[in-house]
């Protein structure tokens, strides 16, 4: 199995950054909706809305870690190419 070229790493990093951006926007929307519900005195709705962060935040962390791994793998690949 061949190792992806650096441009492939850049493409993968960009795709994961896009996914992270969308998940973080989703988290922001949940937090904002929850905040507005609480301001309207709808505590159950506020808590019910924010509970979805239990799913979204771990996805954000996984995407973040994937981006770092891809970046570090790219650096490792480039160093191996220099020494070959």
């Amino acid at each position: 199995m061949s190792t992806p070229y650096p441009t492939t790493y850049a493409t993968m990093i960009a795709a994961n950054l896009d996914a992270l951006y969308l998940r973080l926007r989703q988290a922001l929307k949940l937090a904002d909706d929850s905040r507005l519900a609480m301001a309207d005195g709808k505590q159950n709705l506020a808590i019910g809305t924010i509970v979805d962060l239990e799913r979204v935040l771990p996805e954000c962390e996984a995407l973040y870690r994937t981006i770092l791994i891809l970046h570090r793998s790219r650096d490792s690949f480039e160093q191996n190419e220099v020494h070959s």
Side-chain angles (χ1 to χ4, degrees), residues 45-46 54:
L45 178 60
E54 287 180 337

Side-chain angles (χ1 to χ4, degrees), residues 34-81:
S34 181
R35 182 185 62 83
L36 292 174
M38 193 66 190
D40 284 343
K42 299 176 181 175
Q43 184 172 338
N44 286 341
L45 178 60
I47 301 306
T49 301
I50 206 82
V51 163
D52 281 342
L53 287 176
E54 287 180 337
R55 176 185 51 82
V56 176
L57 293 178
E59 290 174 2
C60 291
E61 183 178 5
L63 288 163
Y64 167 75
R65 292 187 184 283
T66 299
I67 291 162
L68 291 181
I69 289 168
L70 287 167
H71 174 70
R72 291 173 182 149
S73 296
R74 181 214 56 183
D75 291 346
S76 175
F77 173 77
E78 288 176 355
Q79 288 174 0
N80 287 337
E81 284 295 303

